Amino acid sequence: EDKVVQSPLSLVVHEGDTVTLNCSYEVTNFRSLLWYKQEKKAPTFLFMLTSSGIEKKSGRLSSILDKKELFSILNITATQTGDSAIYLCASRYGNKLVFGAGTILRVKS
Amino acid sequence: GAVVSQHPSRVICKSGTSVKIECRSLDFQATTMFWYRQFPKKSLMLMATSNEGSKATYEQGVEKDKFLINHASLTLSTLTVTSAHPEDSSFYICSALYRTSGTPGANVLTFGAGSRLTVL
């Protein structure tokens, strides 16, 4: 059965801390791994990863994929209260996505 | 960029009534759209894949007679929750595949803002 497992399930940090969110996957016919940030409404796209070892960066966020070990990490440096959200990773096979349960991140001021 | 519009954003209905949720791709054509359901503090659960001009493909455990999906055009898919009951109360999100420009392009899943359904 295809599955995506995220850890930790929730995390509370202080502003300025660096966090690492984990995502492991077991998906047949894997195509890519995606990270989304979900605040009050629909998820917003962060990164799509298809190749191992190539870090993608956007401001304070970065992500990398390891296709051999079947996992990805999302790093957020110098966290801000606006980073508080649910972070979802999803593995794509064909045109479908399998989502992990998400990591609830809360950044305290 | 690609925009997916979902309407209504919030709906409250009585038990036994039917509710229709619309999902539109505003600036691109979407032959395939996806409908998800999200329970509080949980992940998105794929309900069905909506295909323009053909029947939707439902995931295991999703009642197709309960959740009617129609993909009438390349920019519109609808989800109708028939004879809604309180247990159908949830957050429903649609998404569509959008191919980014550039070489090579990439297929990115773009989400609507979601519809909060409350069945009394």
Side-chain angles (χ1 to χ4, degrees):
Chain A
E1 181 185 338
D2 297 327
K3 62 180 179 180
V4 175
V5 178
Q6 287 185 249
S7 64
L9 291 181
S10 66
L11 190 58
V12 180
V13 299
H14 288 94
E15 272 192 313
D17 288 350
T18 293
V19 297
T20 298
L21 309 183
N22 303 297
C23 175
S24 64
Y25 63 92
E26 290 179 33
V27 174
T28 53
N29 300 316
F30 171 85
R31 291 184 64 175
S32 57
L33 189 131
L34 298 93
W35 284 96
Y36 289 87
K37 177 182 181 182
Q38 185 176 22
E39 296 172 87
K40 291 187 178 178
K41 292 195 173 180
T44 54
F45 173 76
L46 293 176
F47 298 110
M48 182 172 72
L49 305 159
T50 55
S51 302
S52 278
I54 300 175
E55 185 183 51
K56 292 215 172 179
K57 292 196 71 164
S58 177
R60 296 175 292 103
L61 277 66
S62 64
S63 184
I64 198 163
L65 175 68
D66 186 328
K67 290 170 73 173
K68 183 179 177 184
E69 300 297 330
L70 307 184
F71 80 89
S72 174
I73 59 172
L74 174 69
N75 276 323
I76 308 175
T77 58
T79 52
Q80 301 171 358
T81 55
D83 295 327
S84 296
I86 299 173
Y87 289 85
L88 297 167
C89 81
S91 182
R92 183 177 164 192
Y93 62 106
N95 281 338
K96 294 185 178 181
L97 290 183
V98 176
F99 281 88
T103 293
I104 301 171
L105 174 65
R106 183 177 159 215
V107 181
K108 297 169 72 172
S109 58
Chain B
V3 177
V4 172
S5 172
Q6 199 171 331
H7 177 80
S9 59
R10 196 176 195 94
V11 57
I12 301 172
C13 69
K14 291 183 178 180
S15 187
T17 61
S18 294
V19 174
K20 181 186 283 188
I21 301 170
E22 291 187 349
C23 179
R24 293 180 185 273
S25 56
L26 295 187
D27 48 4
F28 66 102
Q29 293 182 333
T31 54
T32 304
M33 292 186 175
F34 303 92
W35 287 95
Y36 295 85
R37 181 173 179 177
Q38 186 173 35
F39 295 96
K41 296 184 180 179
K42 292 200 173 180
S43 191
L44 300 174
M45 181 193 78
L46 179 64
M47 298 175 63
T49 303
S50 172
N51 304 297
E52 187 269 335
S54 64
K55 291 183 179 180
T57 305
Y58 290 82
E59 295 301 301
Q60 194 172 12
V62 178
E63 299 176 61
K64 58 183 178 182
D65 295 330
K66 174 78 172 171
F67 300 100
L68 299 179
I69 291 173
N70 184 285
H71 197 147
S73 75
L74 286 171
T75 58
L76 174 64
S77 175
T78 61
L79 168 69
T80 301
V81 183
T82 62
S83 187
H85 287 96
E87 57 265 30
D88 298 325
S89 299
S90 193
F91 191 59
Y92 294 87
I93 305 177
C94 73
S95 67
L97 275 176
Y98 165 71
R99 187 155 187 89
T100 60
S101 59
T103 305
N107 285 324
V108 176
L109 201 63
T110 302
F111 288 87
S115 300
R116 170 78 57 195
L117 170 64
T118 302
V119 185
L120 302 176

